[in-house]
Structure formats: C-alpha cells, structure tokens
Amino acid sequence: MLPPPVIAHRGAAALAPENTLASFRRAAEMGARWVELDCQLTADKVPVVIHDLRLGRTTSGRGQVCRRSLAELRSLDAGSWFAPAFAAERIPTLAQALSEIARLGLGVNIEIKPSRGQEAETGRLAMRAAAAVWPQQAPPPLVSSFARAALAAARSECPDWPRGLLATALPRDWRTALHDLGCRTINLDHQRLSADRVAMIRESDYAVLAYTVNDPTRARELWGWGVSSVFTDNLDRLLPLI
Ligand code: G3P
Ligand code: MG
C-alpha cells in the first residue's frame, strides 16, 4: 500500500519537535495518516530516530550521533530547542517510535540516514529493529534512503516491504537504480520536479513522492502532475486540502 497524499514530515515538524514521540502524537491528533521519520545508528549500533548526523540543532548534546552510546543519547533533551514545554522529549529508538506510531494507527515511511561507511549496516539493523516491533497485520512501512547500499541491505532483510529511492534531482540512471533495488517509489525534492519529469516516471509505473512541500498551492500543483504524496511540516495547511 502506498502512502496517502499528505505525509507528516518528521512527525508534525512545524508543531512539535521533529522526530520525537510528541511529534508523532501531534501528527495523529492533526489527522495525518502517515508519518516520515529519519533513523541512524548509535555508537553501540542501536537505530535511533533523529535527522541530523550531529546533535547540536535538535538536542542538548554536541558532536556526532554515531559516536555516542544509546545511554548517552537518551540522557539528552530533544525538545527544549523547539519549546520549553517539550523538555521531557528524548531521542526515541526506532523500536520505540514504531511501537508508538503503530499504537496510534499510523502508517510510516522509515528513512534510513546512515553515517558515511555505515550504509549497509544501518539498513540491516534498522530493518531488524523495525520488523521486530511492526505489527504483521498493519500496512508495511515504506523504506527509503538516499544511500543505495542501505536500500540494498533493507531489501535483503525485509524483501516484502516497499522501498523508495530518495534523491534531490532525478538521477540519470533512475530506471536501472529503481529496477535493481526493487523500488516502488522515487522520492524527490519538489523544487527539482517538473510536470514532464513526473509524467515520464509515471509512464514506467513508479510512484513519485515529493519533499518538503509546505505551500498548499504547490501541493495542489504537484498532485495535479501525478505526484502521489507530499511530505510536509505544515499539516495544518495541507491536510484540509484532501
Ligand atoms: O524523506 C523525505 C525527506 O525527509 C528527505 O529529506 O533531509 O528532510 O530527511 P530530509
Ligand atoms: Mg527525512
């Protein structure tokens, strides 16, 4: 099953601290049906949910995520940077985030965001953690990454879960890449899309998803071109359109 027209980017990123449990809960309250999250590995190889490879922007910590243990990361405040009311938010493990997302009845796009050199390992361990908690009866997650080696590893672990190749602009070798990785979708920066490009991809029967679309007029235009879903921070502006 492919995602709905609006996907909550990093949860309800404009309304709560991105990639936290509060953000996924807020997305559900707003009426979103799917959320997107970013995951990477701690130094002790636990998949956790955070976007940046460094801690400084969205937590009380400093330095690289991949050099800190889970215990160190869990002690950080992942909410105050957004607003003091969110001071209790922590960096969730992928397992915690997916358990909560499933409990909320939401679908999910797991974006694998590996550190350099950890592409395959991150794909493999993220899928193992996800498969251990994601309910079998729920629609499977869409697994995406800019890192092709991560998608190849994800395919080996969870061959039946749909995959999406992330890119900023459409890569020259998009047909072979999508075919070789067994992808169902290509997830592109909306600023690099055109009606012709979307039509060309749709002719090959792949779905096109576009990030990050916060303007309602632009979202309507993209859907009109055949883009099936947009990732947005602004659920309050985009959900009323569907
Ligand atoms: O998956 C869509 C989007 O999240 C990709 O870019 O940097 O926001 O993870 P980024
Ligand atoms: Mg992302």
mmCIF file of all heavy atoms in Angstrom, residues 188-238:
data_model
loop_
_atom_site.group_PDB
_atom_site.id
_atom_site.type_symbol
_atom_site.label_atom_id
_atom_site.label_comp_id
_atom_site.label_asym_id
_atom_site.label_seq_id
_atom_site.Cartn_x
_atom_site.Cartn_y
_atom_site.Cartn_z
ATOM 1 N N LEU A 188 11.525 12.707 -4.422
ATOM 2 C CA LEU A 188 12.383 13.766 -4.961
ATOM 3 C C LEU A 188 12.083 15.120 -4.335
ATOM 4 O O LEU A 188 10.959 15.384 -3.881
ATOM 5 C CB LEU A 188 12.169 13.852 -6.477
ATOM 6 C CG LEU A 188 12.554 12.585 -7.257
ATOM 7 C CD1 LEU A 188 11.980 12.636 -8.666
ATOM 8 C CD2 LEU A 188 14.079 12.434 -7.307
ATOM 9 N N ASP A 189 13.076 15.994 -4.381
ATOM 10 C CA ASP A 189 12.915 17.383 -3.950
ATOM 11 C C ASP A 189 11.939 18.068 -4.914
ATOM 12 O O ASP A 189 12.196 18.122 -6.128
ATOM 13 C CB ASP A 189 14.289 18.067 -3.985
ATOM 14 C CG ASP A 189 14.244 19.498 -3.475
ATOM 15 O OD1 ASP A 189 13.142 20.105 -3.438
ATOM 16 O OD2 ASP A 189 15.319 20.014 -3.130
ATOM 17 N N HIS A 190 10.859 18.587 -4.383
ATOM 18 C CA HIS A 190 9.827 19.160 -5.259
ATOM 19 C C HIS A 190 10.362 20.317 -6.098
ATOM 20 O O HIS A 190 9.849 20.593 -7.198
ATOM 21 C CB HIS A 190 8.604 19.579 -4.433
ATOM 22 C CG HIS A 190 8.725 20.896 -3.759
ATOM 23 N ND1 HIS A 190 8.280 22.058 -4.323
ATOM 24 C CD2 HIS A 190 9.262 21.256 -2.563
ATOM 25 C CE1 HIS A 190 8.515 23.064 -3.503
ATOM 26 N NE2 HIS A 190 9.119 22.605 -2.426
ATOM 27 N N GLN A 191 11.406 20.987 -5.598
ATOM 28 C CA GLN A 191 11.928 22.147 -6.339
ATOM 29 C C GLN A 191 12.630 21.730 -7.626
ATOM 30 O O GLN A 191 12.877 22.563 -8.497
ATOM 31 C CB GLN A 191 12.899 22.931 -5.454
ATOM 32 C CG GLN A 191 12.215 23.481 -4.217
ATOM 33 C CD GLN A 191 13.170 24.230 -3.320
ATOM 34 O OE1 GLN A 191 13.374 25.421 -3.519
ATOM 35 N NE2 GLN A 191 13.761 23.534 -2.370
ATOM 36 N N ARG A 192 12.970 20.464 -7.749
ATOM 37 C CA ARG A 192 13.647 19.978 -8.952
ATOM 38 C C ARG A 192 12.702 19.183 -9.857
ATOM 39 O O ARG A 192 13.158 18.519 -10.782
ATOM 40 C CB ARG A 192 14.833 19.098 -8.548
ATOM 41 C CG ARG A 192 15.747 19.731 -7.516
ATOM 42 C CD ARG A 192 16.610 20.835 -8.099
ATOM 43 N NE ARG A 192 17.704 20.295 -8.888
ATOM 44 C CZ ARG A 192 18.898 19.991 -8.392
ATOM 45 N NH1 ARG A 192 19.156 20.186 -7.112
ATOM 46 N NH2 ARG A 192 19.850 19.505 -9.163
ATOM 47 N N LEU A 193 11.396 19.230 -9.569
ATOM 48 C CA LEU A 193 10.435 18.464 -10.356
ATOM 49 C C LEU A 193 9.780 19.320 -11.432
ATOM 50 O O LEU A 193 9.660 20.535 -11.267
ATOM 51 C CB LEU A 193 9.338 17.907 -9.448
ATOM 52 C CG LEU A 193 9.647 16.584 -8.743
ATOM 53 C CD1 LEU A 193 8.495 16.224 -7.813
ATOM 54 C CD2 LEU A 193 9.891 15.474 -9.757
ATOM 55 N N SER A 194 9.321 18.677 -12.493
ATOM 56 C CA SER A 194 8.506 19.347 -13.498
ATOM 57 C C SER A 194 7.394 18.383 -13.895
ATOM 58 O O SER A 194 7.502 17.169 -13.630
ATOM 59 C CB SER A 194 9.345 19.685 -14.733
ATOM 60 O OG SER A 194 9.786 18.474 -15.335
ATOM 61 N N ALA A 195 6.358 18.915 -14.540
ATOM 62 C CA ALA A 195 5.247 18.063 -14.980
ATOM 63 C C ALA A 195 5.765 16.971 -15.912
ATOM 64 O O ALA A 195 5.354 15.807 -15.822
ATOM 65 C CB ALA A 195 4.201 18.922 -15.687
ATOM 66 N N ASP A 196 6.678 17.330 -16.810
ATOM 67 C CA ASP A 196 7.210 16.344 -17.778
ATOM 68 C C ASP A 196 7.946 15.222 -17.078
ATOM 69 O O ASP A 196 7.821 14.053 -17.437
ATOM 70 C CB ASP A 196 8.173 17.031 -18.749
ATOM 71 C CG ASP A 196 7.430 17.908 -19.723
ATOM 72 O OD1 ASP A 196 6.187 17.844 -19.732
ATOM 73 O OD2 ASP A 196 8.094 18.659 -20.456
ATOM 74 N N ARG A 197 8.746 15.594 -16.086
ATOM 75 C CA ARG A 197 9.507 14.569 -15.362
ATOM 76 C C ARG A 197 8.596 13.604 -14.630
ATOM 77 O O ARG A 197 8.803 12.394 -14.644
ATOM 78 C CB ARG A 197 10.430 15.224 -14.351
ATOM 79 C CG ARG A 197 11.804 15.312 -14.908
ATOM 80 C CD ARG A 197 12.752 15.960 -13.994
ATOM 81 N NE ARG A 197 13.686 16.619 -14.893
ATOM 82 C CZ ARG A 197 14.762 17.242 -14.536
ATOM 83 N NH1 ARG A 197 15.060 17.323 -13.253
ATOM 84 N NH2 ARG A 197 15.548 17.779 -15.414
ATOM 85 N N VAL A 198 7.585 14.156 -13.973
ATOM 86 C CA VAL A 198 6.650 13.289 -13.247
ATOM 87 C C VAL A 198 5.953 12.356 -14.232
ATOM 88 O O VAL A 198 5.843 11.144 -13.993
ATOM 89 C CB VAL A 198 5.614 14.125 -12.452
ATOM 90 C CG1 VAL A 198 4.575 13.212 -11.804
ATOM 91 C CG2 VAL A 198 6.310 14.971 -11.395
ATOM 92 N N ALA A 199 5.528 12.903 -15.375
ATOM 93 C CA ALA A 199 4.826 12.073 -16.370
ATOM 94 C C ALA A 199 5.738 10.948 -16.864
ATOM 95 O O ALA A 199 5.304 9.799 -17.007
ATOM 96 C CB ALA A 199 4.367 12.948 -17.535
ATOM 97 N N MET A 200 7.008 11.272 -17.103
ATOM 98 C CA MET A 200 7.963 10.256 -17.594
ATOM 99 C C MET A 200 8.124 9.126 -16.575
ATOM 100 O O MET A 200 8.136 7.950 -16.928
ATOM 101 C CB MET A 200 9.302 10.946 -17.851
ATOM 102 C CG MET A 200 10.373 10.056 -18.386
ATOM 103 S SD MET A 200 11.842 11.021 -18.785
ATOM 104 C CE MET A 200 12.417 11.479 -17.168
ATOM 105 N N ILE A 201 8.228 9.476 -15.321
ATOM 106 C CA ILE A 201 8.402 8.440 -14.279
ATOM 107 C C ILE A 201 7.122 7.623 -14.142
ATOM 108 O O ILE A 201 7.166 6.388 -14.030
ATOM 109 C CB ILE A 201 8.776 9.099 -12.926
ATOM 110 C CG1 ILE A 201 10.075 9.901 -13.048
ATOM 111 C CG2 ILE A 201 8.929 8.028 -11.840
ATOM 112 C CD1 ILE A 201 10.326 10.863 -11.883
ATOM 113 N N ARG A 202 5.986 8.299 -14.175
ATOM 114 C CA ARG A 202 4.708 7.599 -14.026
ATOM 115 C C ARG A 202 4.490 6.617 -15.179
ATOM 116 O O ARG A 202 3.884 5.570 -14.991
ATOM 117 C CB ARG A 202 3.556 8.620 -13.972
ATOM 118 C CG ARG A 202 3.608 9.558 -12.790
ATOM 119 C CD ARG A 202 3.252 8.900 -11.462
ATOM 120 N NE ARG A 202 1.931 8.304 -11.508
ATOM 121 C CZ ARG A 202 1.679 7.008 -11.364
ATOM 122 N NH1 ARG A 202 2.664 6.147 -11.159
ATOM 123 N NH2 ARG A 202 0.450 6.541 -11.423
ATOM 124 N N GLU A 203 4.997 6.947 -16.377
ATOM 125 C CA GLU A 203 4.867 6.016 -17.507
ATOM 126 C C GLU A 203 5.551 4.690 -17.223
ATOM 127 O O GLU A 203 5.166 3.657 -17.761
ATOM 128 C CB GLU A 203 5.477 6.643 -18.777
ATOM 129 C CG GLU A 203 4.504 7.486 -19.549
ATOM 130 C CD GLU A 203 5.181 8.304 -20.645
ATOM 131 O OE1 GLU A 203 6.246 7.872 -21.138
ATOM 132 O OE2 GLU A 203 4.633 9.378 -20.956
ATOM 133 N N SER A 204 6.587 4.719 -16.411
ATOM 134 C CA SER A 204 7.282 3.484 -16.040
ATOM 135 C C SER A 204 6.657 2.841 -14.802
ATOM 136 O O SER A 204 7.203 1.901 -14.234
ATOM 137 C CB SER A 204 8.758 3.764 -15.773
ATOM 138 O OG SER A 204 9.381 4.212 -16.941
ATOM 139 N N ASP A 205 5.532 3.410 -14.361
ATOM 140 C CA ASP A 205 4.739 2.801 -13.287
ATOM 141 C C ASP A 205 5.345 2.919 -11.894
ATOM 142 O O ASP A 205 4.994 2.142 -11.005
ATOM 143 C CB ASP A 205 4.465 1.328 -13.617
ATOM 144 C CG ASP A 205 3.002 1.011 -13.381
ATOM 145 O OD1 ASP A 205 2.202 1.959 -13.383
ATOM 146 O OD2 ASP A 205 2.681 -0.163 -13.155
ATOM 147 N N TYR A 206 6.237 3.845 -11.690
ATOM 148 C CA TYR A 206 6.722 4.128 -10.337
ATOM 149 C C TYR A 206 5.937 5.310 -9.777
ATOM 150 O O TYR A 206 5.553 6.208 -10.532
ATOM 151 C CB TYR A 206 8.207 4.494 -10.363
ATOM 152 C CG TYR A 206 9.098 3.358 -10.804
ATOM 153 C CD1 TYR A 206 9.681 3.357 -12.070
ATOM 154 C CD2 TYR A 206 9.340 2.278 -9.961
ATOM 155 C CE1 TYR A 206 10.497 2.309 -12.480
ATOM 156 C CE2 TYR A 206 10.153 1.225 -10.371
ATOM 157 C CZ TYR A 206 10.725 1.251 -11.625
ATOM 158 O OH TYR A 206 11.501 0.211 -12.026
ATOM 159 N N ALA A 207 5.720 5.278 -8.453
ATOM 160 C CA ALA A 207 5.077 6.422 -7.810
ATOM 161 C C ALA A 207 6.120 7.494 -7.537
ATOM 162 O O ALA A 207 7.288 7.194 -7.266
ATOM 163 C CB ALA A 207 4.421 5.986 -6.506
ATOM 164 N N VAL A 208 5.697 8.759 -7.619
ATOM 165 C CA VAL A 208 6.571 9.896 -7.314
ATOM 166 C C VAL A 208 6.073 10.555 -6.034
ATOM 167 O O VAL A 208 4.905 10.929 -5.930
ATOM 168 C CB VAL A 208 6.560 10.935 -8.461
ATOM 169 C CG1 VAL A 208 7.532 12.080 -8.149
ATOM 170 C CG2 VAL A 208 6.895 10.283 -9.790
ATOM 171 N N LEU A 209 6.970 10.682 -5.068
ATOM 172 C CA LEU A 209 6.694 11.396 -3.820
ATOM 173 C C LEU A 209 7.585 12.631 -3.817
ATOM 174 O O LEU A 209 8.707 12.592 -4.362
ATOM 175 C CB LEU A 209 6.985 10.518 -2.601
ATOM 176 C CG LEU A 209 5.948 9.443 -2.213
ATOM 177 C CD1 LEU A 209 5.653 8.460 -3.313
ATOM 178 C CD2 LEU A 209 6.402 8.690 -0.963
ATOM 179 N N ALA A 210 7.118 13.712 -3.194
ATOM 180 C CA ALA A 210 7.881 14.972 -3.251
ATOM 181 C C ALA A 210 8.048 15.571 -1.845
ATOM 182 O O ALA A 210 7.104 15.615 -1.060
ATOM 183 C CB ALA A 210 7.177 15.970 -4.160
ATOM 184 N N TYR A 211 9.267 16.033 -1.558
ATOM 185 C CA TYR A 211 9.544 16.679 -0.266
ATOM 186 C C TYR A 211 10.124 18.073 -0.544
ATOM 187 O O TYR A 211 10.618 18.287 -1.661
ATOM 188 C CB TYR A 211 10.531 15.856 0.565
ATOM 189 C CG TYR A 211 11.903 15.723 -0.033
ATOM 190 C CD1 TYR A 211 12.902 16.672 0.227
ATOM 191 C CD2 TYR A 211 12.234 14.678 -0.878
ATOM 192 C CE1 TYR A 211 14.167 16.564 -0.326
ATOM 193 C CE2 TYR A 211 13.505 14.558 -1.443
ATOM 194 C CZ TYR A 211 14.456 15.506 -1.161
ATOM 195 O OH TYR A 211 15.714 15.399 -1.727
ATOM 196 N N THR A 212 10.151 18.946 0.387
ATOM 197 C CA THR A 212 9.257 19.088 1.524
ATOM 198 C C THR A 212 8.329 20.219 1.130
ATOM 199 O O THR A 212 8.809 21.334 0.839
ATOM 200 C CB THR A 212 10.043 19.440 2.805
ATOM 201 O OG1 THR A 212 10.993 18.405 3.055
ATOM 202 C CG2 THR A 212 9.131 19.612 4.009
ATOM 203 N N VAL A 213 7.054 19.961 1.082
ATOM 204 C CA VAL A 213 6.095 20.862 0.442
ATOM 205 C C VAL A 213 5.230 21.491 1.524
ATOM 206 O O VAL A 213 4.381 20.822 2.113
ATOM 207 C CB VAL A 213 5.224 20.075 -0.568
ATOM 208 C CG1 VAL A 213 4.269 21.019 -1.290
ATOM 209 C CG2 VAL A 213 6.103 19.322 -1.570
ATOM 210 N N ASN A 214 5.446 22.776 1.762
ATOM 211 C CA ASN A 214 4.713 23.445 2.837
ATOM 212 C C ASN A 214 3.692 24.454 2.332
ATOM 213 O O ASN A 214 2.951 25.031 3.126
ATOM 214 C CB ASN A 214 5.701 24.120 3.797
ATOM 215 C CG ASN A 214 6.476 23.083 4.606
ATOM 216 O OD1 ASN A 214 5.962 22.003 4.900
ATOM 217 N ND2 ASN A 214 7.725 23.386 4.927
ATOM 218 N N ASP A 215 3.648 24.636 1.007
ATOM 219 C CA ASP A 215 2.736 25.610 0.422
ATOM 220 C C ASP A 215 1.552 24.877 -0.233
ATOM 221 O O ASP A 215 1.756 24.037 -1.121
ATOM 222 C CB ASP A 215 3.501 26.432 -0.630
ATOM 223 C CG ASP A 215 2.583 27.367 -1.372
ATOM 224 O OD1 ASP A 215 1.756 28.029 -0.738
ATOM 225 O OD2 ASP A 215 2.669 27.411 -2.624
ATOM 226 N N PRO A 216 0.322 25.191 0.179
ATOM 227 C CA PRO A 216 -0.845 24.465 -0.355
ATOM 228 C C PRO A 216 -0.983 24.561 -1.877
ATOM 229 O O PRO A 216 -1.345 23.581 -2.535
ATOM 230 C CB PRO A 216 -2.039 25.129 0.337
ATOM 231 C CG PRO A 216 -1.479 25.785 1.555
ATOM 232 C CD PRO A 216 -0.058 26.151 1.239
ATOM 233 N N THR A 217 -0.688 25.725 -2.439
ATOM 234 C CA THR A 217 -0.819 25.880 -3.894
ATOM 235 C C THR A 217 0.153 24.951 -4.618
ATOM 236 O O THR A 217 -0.182 24.307 -5.618
ATOM 237 C CB THR A 217 -0.544 27.352 -4.295
ATOM 238 O OG1 THR A 217 -1.388 28.177 -3.504
ATOM 239 C CG2 THR A 217 -0.801 27.590 -5.761
ATOM 240 N N ARG A 218 1.361 24.887 -4.103
ATOM 241 C CA ARG A 218 2.358 23.999 -4.702
ATOM 242 C C ARG A 218 1.948 22.527 -4.552
ATOM 243 O O ARG A 218 2.133 21.726 -5.481
ATOM 244 C CB ARG A 218 3.721 24.238 -4.031
ATOM 245 C CG ARG A 218 4.834 23.392 -4.556
ATOM 246 C CD ARG A 218 5.129 23.639 -6.022
ATOM 247 N NE ARG A 218 6.358 22.965 -6.431
ATOM 248 C CZ ARG A 218 6.727 22.761 -7.684
ATOM 249 N NH1 ARG A 218 5.961 23.189 -8.684
ATOM 250 N NH2 ARG A 218 7.857 22.165 -7.959
ATOM 251 N N ALA A 219 1.390 22.175 -3.406
ATOM 252 C CA ALA A 219 0.954 20.789 -3.215
ATOM 253 C C ALA A 219 -0.101 20.421 -4.259
ATOM 254 O O ALA A 219 -0.026 19.365 -4.894
ATOM 255 C CB ALA A 219 0.403 20.602 -1.804
ATOM 256 N N ARG A 220 -1.055 21.316 -4.472
ATOM 257 C CA ARG A 220 -2.103 21.044 -5.472
ATOM 258 C C ARG A 220 -1.500 20.866 -6.859
ATOM 259 O O ARG A 220 -1.892 19.991 -7.626
ATOM 260 C CB ARG A 220 -3.090 22.218 -5.509
ATOM 261 C CG ARG A 220 -4.130 22.178 -4.453
ATOM 262 C CD ARG A 220 -5.442 22.810 -4.996
ATOM 263 N NE ARG A 220 -6.454 22.773 -3.958
ATOM 264 C CZ ARG A 220 -6.666 23.778 -3.096
ATOM 265 N NH1 ARG A 220 -5.947 24.871 -3.155
ATOM 266 N NH2 ARG A 220 -7.598 23.678 -2.177
ATOM 267 N N GLU A 221 -0.524 21.708 -7.176
ATOM 268 C CA GLU A 221 0.119 21.605 -8.484
ATOM 269 C C GLU A 221 0.808 20.243 -8.647
ATOM 270 O O GLU A 221 0.666 19.570 -9.668
ATOM 271 C CB GLU A 221 1.135 22.735 -8.642
ATOM 272 C CG GLU A 221 1.850 22.729 -9.973
ATOM 273 C CD GLU A 221 2.763 23.938 -10.146
ATOM 274 O OE1 GLU A 221 3.520 24.287 -9.202
ATOM 275 O OE2 GLU A 221 2.716 24.544 -11.221
ATOM 276 N N LEU A 222 1.529 19.833 -7.613
ATOM 277 C CA LEU A 222 2.260 18.563 -7.680
ATOM 278 C C LEU A 222 1.299 17.378 -7.811
ATOM 279 O O LEU A 222 1.528 16.467 -8.621
ATOM 280 C CB LEU A 222 3.148 18.404 -6.448
ATOM 281 C CG LEU A 222 4.324 19.379 -6.372
ATOM 282 C CD1 LEU A 222 4.871 19.465 -4.949
ATOM 283 C CD2 LEU A 222 5.439 18.970 -7.330
ATOM 284 N N TRP A 223 0.234 17.387 -7.019
ATOM 285 C CA TRP A 223 -0.746 16.299 -7.150
ATOM 286 C C TRP A 223 -1.331 16.296 -8.571
ATOM 287 O O TRP A 223 -1.550 15.239 -9.142
ATOM 288 C CB TRP A 223 -1.874 16.463 -6.126
ATOM 289 C CG TRP A 223 -1.456 16.237 -4.706
ATOM 290 C CD1 TRP A 223 -0.553 15.314 -4.243
ATOM 291 C CD2 TRP A 223 -1.935 16.940 -3.538
ATOM 292 N NE1 TRP A 223 -0.449 15.412 -2.870
ATOM 293 C CE2 TRP A 223 -1.278 16.397 -2.414
ATOM 294 C CE3 TRP A 223 -2.857 17.967 -3.345
ATOM 295 C CZ2 TRP A 223 -1.514 16.853 -1.109
ATOM 296 C CZ3 TRP A 223 -3.081 18.425 -2.048
ATOM 297 C CH2 TRP A 223 -2.427 17.864 -0.952
ATOM 298 N N GLY A 224 -1.564 17.494 -9.108
ATOM 299 C CA GLY A 224 -2.096 17.597 -10.474
ATOM 300 C C GLY A 224 -1.158 16.989 -11.506
ATOM 301 O O GLY A 224 -1.595 16.450 -12.529
ATOM 302 N N TRP A 225 0.132 17.038 -11.247
ATOM 303 C CA TRP A 225 1.118 16.451 -12.166
ATOM 304 C C TRP A 225 1.190 14.920 -12.033
ATOM 305 O O TRP A 225 1.853 14.273 -12.843
ATOM 306 C CB TRP A 225 2.516 16.992 -11.858
ATOM 307 C CG TRP A 225 2.727 18.433 -12.196
ATOM 308 C CD1 TRP A 225 1.911 19.259 -12.900
ATOM 309 C CD2 TRP A 225 3.882 19.211 -11.823
ATOM 310 N NE1 TRP A 225 2.465 20.511 -12.983
ATOM 311 C CE2 TRP A 225 3.678 20.502 -12.342
ATOM 312 C CE3 TRP A 225 5.044 18.934 -11.109
ATOM 313 C CZ2 TRP A 225 4.614 21.521 -12.171
ATOM 314 C CZ3 TRP A 225 5.974 19.944 -10.936
ATOM 315 C CH2 TRP A 225 5.755 21.226 -11.463
ATOM 316 N N GLY A 226 0.608 14.404 -10.951
ATOM 317 C CA GLY A 226 0.680 12.953 -10.753
ATOM 318 C C GLY A 226 1.559 12.519 -9.592
ATOM 319 O O GLY A 226 1.783 11.322 -9.376
ATOM 320 N N VAL A 227 2.074 13.492 -8.832
ATOM 321 C CA VAL A 227 2.790 13.160 -7.585
ATOM 322 C C VAL A 227 1.769 12.547 -6.616
ATOM 323 O O VAL A 227 0.692 13.103 -6.419
ATOM 324 C CB VAL A 227 3.425 14.437 -6.977
ATOM 325 C CG1 VAL A 227 3.902 14.200 -5.556
ATOM 326 C CG2 VAL A 227 4.567 14.919 -7.870
ATOM 327 N N SER A 228 2.107 11.389 -6.053
ATOM 328 C CA SER A 228 1.083 10.717 -5.236
ATOM 329 C C SER A 228 1.077 11.190 -3.788
ATOM 330 O O SER A 228 0.032 11.148 -3.134
ATOM 331 C CB SER A 228 1.243 9.199 -5.309
ATOM 332 O OG SER A 228 2.502 8.798 -4.839
ATOM 333 N N SER A 229 2.232 11.599 -3.250
ATOM 334 C CA SER A 229 2.276 12.080 -1.861
ATOM 335 C C SER A 229 3.265 13.218 -1.749
ATOM 336 O O SER A 229 4.304 13.213 -2.416
ATOM 337 C CB SER A 229 2.778 10.994 -0.895
ATOM 338 O OG SER A 229 2.057 9.811 -1.009
ATOM 339 N N VAL A 230 2.965 14.135 -0.849
ATOM 340 C CA VAL A 230 3.947 15.161 -0.487
ATOM 341 C C VAL A 230 4.262 15.036 0.998
ATOM 342 O O VAL A 230 3.385 14.714 1.810
ATOM 343 C CB VAL A 230 3.473 16.590 -0.822
ATOM 344 C CG1 VAL A 230 3.217 16.738 -2.313
ATOM 345 C CG2 VAL A 230 2.233 16.986 -0.029
ATOM 346 N N PHE A 231 5.516 15.260 1.333
ATOM 347 C CA PHE A 231 5.960 15.333 2.726
ATOM 348 C C PHE A 231 5.840 16.788 3.153
ATOM 349 O O PHE A 231 6.357 17.669 2.454
ATOM 350 C CB PHE A 231 7.430 14.921 2.853
ATOM 351 C CG PHE A 231 7.708 13.502 2.419
ATOM 352 C CD1 PHE A 231 8.018 13.211 1.101
ATOM 353 C CD2 PHE A 231 7.673 12.464 3.341
ATOM 354 C CE1 PHE A 231 8.294 11.904 0.703
ATOM 355 C CE2 PHE A 231 7.944 11.159 2.956
ATOM 356 C CZ PHE A 231 8.256 10.876 1.639
ATOM 357 N N THR A 232 5.178 16.999 4.299
ATOM 358 C CA THR A 232 5.024 18.392 4.742
ATOM 359 C C THR A 232 5.262 18.548 6.234
ATOM 360 O O THR A 232 4.973 17.658 7.020
ATOM 361 C CB THR A 232 3.617 18.937 4.394
ATOM 362 O OG1 THR A 232 3.588 20.345 4.652
ATOM 363 C CG2 THR A 232 2.520 18.278 5.216
ATOM 364 N N ASP A 233 5.790 19.722 6.594
ATOM 365 C CA ASP A 233 5.891 20.120 8.005
ATOM 366 C C ASP A 233 4.570 20.747 8.459
ATOM 367 O O ASP A 233 4.291 20.802 9.653
ATOM 368 C CB ASP A 233 6.992 21.176 8.183
ATOM 369 C CG ASP A 233 8.348 20.695 7.702
ATOM 370 O OD1 ASP A 233 8.672 19.520 7.920
ATOM 371 O OD2 ASP A 233 9.076 21.514 7.092
ATOM 372 N N ASN A 234 3.808 21.265 7.495
ATOM 373 C CA ASN A 234 2.636 22.090 7.797
ATOM 374 C C ASN A 234 1.337 21.325 7.601
ATOM 375 O O ASN A 234 0.565 21.592 6.678
ATOM 376 C CB ASN A 234 2.637 23.332 6.904
ATOM 377 C CG ASN A 234 3.659 24.350 7.349
ATOM 378 O OD1 ASN A 234 4.221 24.244 8.443
ATOM 379 N ND2 ASN A 234 3.900 25.334 6.512
ATOM 380 N N LEU A 235 1.080 20.401 8.512
ATOM 381 C CA LEU A 235 -0.142 19.602 8.414
ATOM 382 C C LEU A 235 -1.387 20.477 8.461
ATOM 383 O O LEU A 235 -2.376 20.200 7.804
ATOM 384 C CB LEU A 235 -0.181 18.588 9.558
ATOM 385 C CG LEU A 235 0.892 17.505 9.477
ATOM 386 C CD1 LEU A 235 0.896 16.697 10.762
ATOM 387 C CD2 LEU A 235 0.661 16.595 8.277
ATOM 388 N N ASP A 236 -1.315 21.533 9.260
ATOM 389 C CA ASP A 236 -2.499 22.389 9.411
ATOM 390 C C ASP A 236 -2.892 23.062 8.096
ATOM 391 O O ASP A 236 -4.057 23.352 7.865
ATOM 392 C CB ASP A 236 -2.281 23.431 10.520
ATOM 393 C CG ASP A 236 -0.930 24.117 10.423
ATOM 394 O OD1 ASP A 236 -0.027 23.604 9.711
ATOM 395 O OD2 ASP A 236 -0.765 25.171 11.053
ATOM 396 N N ARG A 237 -1.921 23.272 7.205
ATOM 397 C CA ARG A 237 -2.244 23.917 5.922
ATOM 398 C C ARG A 237 -2.573 22.915 4.831
ATOM 399 O O ARG A 237 -3.348 23.196 3.923
ATOM 400 C CB ARG A 237 -1.055 24.790 5.476
ATOM 401 C CG ARG A 237 -0.776 25.916 6.452
ATOM 402 C CD ARG A 237 0.351 26.788 5.980
ATOM 403 N NE ARG A 237 -0.031 27.625 4.865
ATOM 404 C CZ ARG A 237 0.838 28.241 4.055
ATOM 405 N NH1 ARG A 237 2.128 28.104 4.258
ATOM 406 N NH2 ARG A 237 0.415 28.994 3.075
ATOM 407 N N LEU A 238 -1.949 21.717 4.884
ATOM 408 C CA LEU A 238 -2.135 20.776 3.779
ATOM 409 C C LEU A 238 -3.234 19.745 3.995
ATOM 410 O O LEU A 238 -3.914 19.358 3.053
ATOM 411 C CB LEU A 238 -0.806 20.068 3.438
ATOM 412 C CG LEU A 238 -0.083 20.745 2.277
ATOM 413 C CD1 LEU A 238 0.398 22.136 2.643
ATOM 414 C CD2 LEU A 238 1.067 19.903 1.779
#
